[in-house]
Structures are given as structure tokens and as C-alpha cells.
Amino acid sequence: MYPLEEVLTWEAKMADDLDQERQLLAAYRWIKIDLNDRRQTLLQEDTIDVPALQQLDEAIVSIIELIDEKKHRIEEKQREVEAMFYQWQQVLLQEK
């Protein structure tokens, strides 16, 4: 098992990384909302700018992929942190 100091340092780094990942995920979600709003605006115009609409659709698909990827990374990191805590909890219980 790893020394407690290393575990605490790793846990703090992972917590910081998770916070950053969550902030980025929130930004991606706002970008998606903005892109969808722009798409709706384009669709409400008298003449539809098809190339602009296609670009927006491509951007929306890309941001959805980024959101899914980011959510997956966050879930993986969260599982790693939980697994490490569980292992340490078991070690501490055995020592009592």
C-alpha cells in the first residue's frame, strides 16, 4: 500500500482535476446551449443560410461528443478516487 502522504497528495490532485473537468463540462454545456440558440435564430430567418446551418449542426455534434467524453473521464476519475478511498478504509479497519 502507498504511504499516507502520497495518497493524500494524489487525492488532492485528483480532486483538483475533477473540479477542473467539471468546470470545463459546464462550459461545454453552455456552448451547446448557445449553439442551439443560434441554430433556432437561423431557422427563424426569412431565408435559411444552409451552409451556416450545416456548420452549426457540425459544431453541435462536436460539442455533444466533447460533453460525452468529458462526462466519461469525470466518471472514471471519480471511480478511481472512490476505489482508493475504499482501499484505505479497508486498511484502516484492519489496523484497528
Side-chain angles (χ1 to χ4, degrees):
M1 192 91 301
Y2 299 103
L4 183 57
E5 285 181 17
E6 286 181 32
V7 171
L8 293 175
T9 301
W10 177 85
E11 187 275 331
K13 182 185 179 317
M14 289 297 282
D16 289 345
D17 288 351
L18 279 169
D19 285 342
Q20 289 174 354
E21 297 275 355
R22 287 182 181 118
Q23 289 174 3
L24 194 52
L25 178 61
Y28 287 165
R29 287 179 172 151
W30 280 110
I31 291 168
K32 181 184 169 202
I33 290 168
D34 183 55
L35 290 172
N36 281 323
D37 289 347
R38 290 181 188 194
R39 187 177 194 284
Q40 285 303 109
T41 301
L42 272 179
L43 291 173
Q44 291 173 358
E45 293 180 1
D46 293 336
T47 58
I48 295 176
D49 184 353
V50 175
L53 189 59
Q54 288 175 334
Q55 284 181 333
L56 276 172
D57 287 343
E58 289 171 9
I60 291 169
V61 168
S62 294
I63 200 72
I64 289 171
E65 289 172 355
L66 285 172
I67 288 169
D68 289 344
E69 182 180 310
K70 187 61 62 186
K71 285 186 340 189
H72 181 71
R73 277 194 215 150
I74 289 170
E75 290 168 359
E76 285 179 352
K77 285 183 180 183
Q78 188 65 44
R79 280 192 297 269
E80 286 180 43
V81 170
E82 290 170 2
M84 181 63 80
F85 276 129
Y86 178 76
Q87 290 173 3
W88 269 99
Q89 186 179 38
Q90 295 305 311
V91 168
L92 293 173
L93 288 175
Q94 290 174 359
E95 290 179 0
K96 286 186 176 184

